[in-house]
Amino acid sequence: MTYCVGILVDSGLVMIADTRTNAGVDHVSTYRKLQSIVIPGERCVLFSTSGNLSISQAAVTLAKHGLENPETKKIDTLETVPTLFEAAHLIGRAIRKVHDRHGADLEESGVAFEVSFLIGGQIKGGDMHLYMVYAAGNCIECGSEAPFLQIGEHKYGKPILDRSIQMNTDLSDVTKIGLISMDATLRSNLGVGMPIDLAVLRKDTFQLSVEHRIEDNDVYFKDLRKRWSTALRFQSLLMKRK
Amino acid sequence: MTYCVGILVDSGLVMIADTRTNAGVDHVSTYRKLQSIVIPGERCVLFSTSGNLSISQAAVTLAKHGLENPETKKIDTLETVPTLFEAAHLIGRAIRKVHDRHGADLEESGVAFEVSFLIGGQIKGGDMHLYMVYAAGNCIECGSEAPFLQIGEHKYGKPILDRSIQMNTDLSDVTKIGLISMDATLRSNLGVGMPIDLAVLRKDTFQLSVEHRIEDNDVYFKDLRKRWSTALRFQSLLMKRK
């Protein structure tokens, strides 16, 4: 399993992903599901993947190598698309290209064509955006009512996001809440595993202000999960009784 | 969908269940999933159900009417079984009886034989117990490491339980945390719906100290969900930064 979350607030974007991948019963390993394409001062595109690894890897490769835009007839890559919207559509086309190549064979082998992407960031001339791209190549954009999108094992980590994230939440608090959401998932689903990749992009900077891999022994993360559990326990005790 | 949770701590048992049932696409209605059998001073048995309503209703009816115990050859009912353990096994036998009657026909109609029960409480002469009974009629007992069991849509409401419930938590705090767990689920899954049924059984009392249906306009519950959201937001802001 996988858990990736992207949170887009007024001041920027936080993306967090686990790294556990299990390709077969006895083969559990680590793979970077959160990746970035940065051209300093011009664009910073972050994306994370969930689902069948062979599909998402192939789609990423195709999107990096470039695919023809059916309207402009130009070759688009994630380094050249003019907008985040087009970047999301490029990922969508890449997914469908993989489907064209392998979809029928996968189906014949009883393997579901399951894949989804989060893609977000900012390209000069445009605002920040965050999209979720589905296996059919279509996508939705993150809105301000619930300023986050999740892929993979999303349920355990959703309540904290529902309750704590608002458009004006400070980016360092967003980071903390995102990590708590990840921690809730790690605790409950063994298929989501450490280490965790974290990236933070402040608005209009076009470069990552944080790009960090949190390992098992990370002092900050251990401290955060401990303090949060303690805080929750006390909070529930301290709430005025009726 | 359904969400039911049972929490068993040193001082007693709290059970909470939603009431939403959808039997078919356009038929969403309300059904009491949390029920109790109380013989004051002698036994208090609480149970809640998840899964196919026709299966769980039939199993409840059979367990109330009585089924032969294959070992003692006596007819057991939920009012007469000598222990909670036997009560859980009675529910299990009732489920299998429903399976004997309808299992093949359901399968032929493409309907999965899905049902699960939480059953807990206390019968004089024994301790408090809480069990989860599966569709196969087997059951597991709640342990002290994670003193709660959930059926139905359990993921959204699990993190708060994981982090906040301990064996020595006060029963009124357990109630509050259980309601927050239910609220997290209500917010995230439209298939889990108000009103909510709540029952609280203090140890060695053999009668319910709380038996309450929380309606949409319940002032306490509205206040609780509001205060909790506010508390979480402040908590995440107040946690010392590093």
Side-chain angles (χ1 to χ4, degrees):
Chain A
M1 279 301 292
T2 291
Y3 178 50
C4 305
V5 57
I7 310 171
L8 180 64
V9 294
D10 290 336
S11 53
L13 171 71
V14 173
M15 286 185 69
I16 303 173
D18 84 311
T19 54
R20 178 71 50 86
T21 165
N22 52 334
V25 179
D26 55 359
H27 183 80
V28 174
S29 76
T30 295
Y31 175 72
R32 181 175 289 276
K33 299 173 193 170
L34 175 59
Q35 299 181 53
S36 61
I37 287 176
V38 183
I39 302 176
E42 198 272 324
R43 74 178 57 208
C44 187
V45 178
L46 291 162
F47 57 91
S48 62
T49 63
S50 166
N52 185 303
L53 189 61
S54 75
I55 301 172
S56 61
Q57 280 188 343
V60 168
T61 303
L62 289 171
K64 282 181 173 173
H65 287 185
L67 284 176
E68 187 183 274
N69 182 324
E71 284 158 23
T72 63
K73 304 295 175 197
K74 280 193 201 162
I75 300 294
D76 282 344
T77 77
L78 289 174
E79 298 195 346
T80 63
V81 280
T83 63
L84 243 305
F85 180 75
E86 289 300 336
H89 279 236
L90 172 59
I91 292 285
R93 286 204 304 282
I95 292 172
R96 295 320 289 172
K97 185 104 180 179
V98 179
H99 187 265
D100 293 345
R101 290 188 184 181
H102 299 293
D105 293 337
L106 286 172
E107 193 179 348
E108 202 181 299
S109 308
V111 177
F113 192 83
E114 281 178 354
V115 66
S116 55
F117 276 73
L118 293 183
I119 178 165
Q122 190 173 18
I123 294 174
K124 198 142 201 171
D127 285 334
M128 300 201 80
H129 295 281
L130 173 63
Y131 296 91
M132 185 194 299
V133 187
Y134 297 98
N138 55 333
C139 64
I140 57 167
E141 183 169 9
C142 183
S144 58
E145 299 258 314
F148 57 87
L149 291 171
Q150 305 167 288
I151 53 177
E153 178 62 274
H154 63 282
K155 294 183 179 183
Y156 299 109
K158 186 164 180 290
I160 178 70
L161 301 173
D162 277 333
R163 286 185 153 112
S164 307
I165 302 275
Q166 292 174 323
M167 286 302 284
N168 61 358
T169 308
D170 180 86
L171 210 53
S172 70
D173 292 321
V174 168
T175 305
K176 217 156 47 184
I177 294 163
L179 289 173
I180 291 168
S181 170
M182 173 60 76
D183 181 49
T185 313
L186 290 171
R187 278 171 184 255
S188 293
N189 189 323
L190 291 179
V192 178
M194 300 281 282
I196 294 162
D197 287 321
L198 163 69
V200 180
L201 173 64
R202 290 201 174 271
K203 192 176 177 179
D204 295 333
T205 63
F206 303 100
Q207 60 185 7
L208 293 173
S209 59
V210 176
E211 187 176 19
H212 183 53
R213 170 158 287 194
I214 298 170
E215 301 283 352
D216 249 340
N217 55 2
D218 187 279
V219 176
Y220 171 76
F221 189 63
K222 274 164 95 167
D223 185 48
L224 179 74
R225 60 200 306 186
K226 202 172 120 197
R227 280 187 296 138
W228 181 251
S229 289
T230 310
L232 271 200
R233 263 200 297 281
F234 278 102
Q235 194 60 57
S236 65
L237 300 182
L238 287 174
M239 278 171 68
K240 275 177 303 182
R241 303 219 181 128
K242 254 199 147 163
Chain B
M1 279 303 291
T2 291
Y3 178 50
C4 305
V5 58
I7 310 171
L8 180 63
V9 295
D10 290 335
S11 53
L13 172 70
V14 173
M15 287 185 68
I16 303 172
D18 83 311
T19 54
R20 180 70 51 86
T21 166
N22 52 334
V25 179
D26 55 359
H27 183 80
V28 174
S29 77
T30 295
Y31 175 73
R32 181 176 289 277
K33 297 173 196 171
L34 176 59
Q35 299 181 53
S36 62
I37 288 175
V38 183
I39 303 177
E42 199 273 325
R43 75 179 56 208
C44 187
V45 179
L46 291 163
F47 57 91
S48 62
T49 61
S50 166
N52 185 303
L53 189 61
S54 75
I55 301 171
S56 61
Q57 278 188 344
V60 168
T61 303
L62 289 171
K64 282 182 174 173
H65 287 184
L67 283 176
E68 188 183 275
N69 182 323
E71 284 159 23
T72 64
K73 305 296 175 197
K74 280 192 200 162
I75 300 295
D76 283 344
T77 76
L78 289 175
E79 297 196 345
T80 64
V81 280
T83 62
L84 243 304
F85 180 74
E86 289 301 335
H89 279 236
L90 173 59
I91 292 285
R93 287 204 303 281
I95 292 172
R96 295 321 289 172
K97 185 105 179 176
V98 179
H99 188 264
D100 293 345
R101 290 187 183 181
H102 299 293
D105 293 337
L106 286 172
E107 194 179 349
E108 201 182 301
S109 308
V111 178
F113 191 83
E114 281 178 352
V115 68
S116 55
F117 276 72
L118 293 182
I119 177 165
Q122 190 174 18
I123 295 175
K124 198 142 200 171
D127 285 334
M128 300 201 78
H129 294 281
L130 175 62
Y131 296 91
M132 185 193 298
V133 188
Y134 296 99
N138 56 334
C139 65
I140 57 166
E141 183 169 8
C142 183
S144 59
E145 298 258 315
F148 58 85
L149 290 172
Q150 305 166 288
I151 54 177
E153 177 62 275
H154 63 282
K155 294 184 179 181
Y156 300 110
K158 187 165 181 290
I160 177 72
L161 300 173
D162 277 333
R163 287 185 154 115
S164 307
I165 303 275
Q166 291 173 325
M167 286 302 284
N168 61 358
T169 307
D170 180 85
L171 210 53
S172 70
D173 291 320
V174 168
T175 305
K176 217 157 48 184
I177 294 163
L179 289 174
I180 291 167
S181 170
M182 174 59 78
D183 182 48
T185 313
L186 290 171
R187 278 170 184 256
S188 292
N189 189 323
L190 291 179
V192 178
M194 300 282 281
I196 295 163
D197 287 321
L198 163 69
V200 180
L201 172 63
R202 290 201 175 270
K203 192 176 178 180
D204 296 334
T205 62
F206 303 100
Q207 60 186 5
L208 293 173
S209 59
V210 176
E211 188 176 18
H212 183 54
R213 170 157 289 193
I214 298 168
E215 301 283 353
D216 249 341
N217 54 2
D218 187 279
V219 177
Y220 171 76
F221 188 65
K222 273 165 93 167
D223 185 47
L224 179 73
R225 59 202 306 187
K226 201 172 120 197
R227 280 187 296 136
W228 180 252
S229 288
T230 310
L232 272 201
R233 262 200 300 279
F234 278 103
Q235 195 60 58
S236 66
L237 299 183
L238 288 173
M239 278 170 68
K240 275 177 304 185
R241 303 217 182 131
K242 254 198 146 164

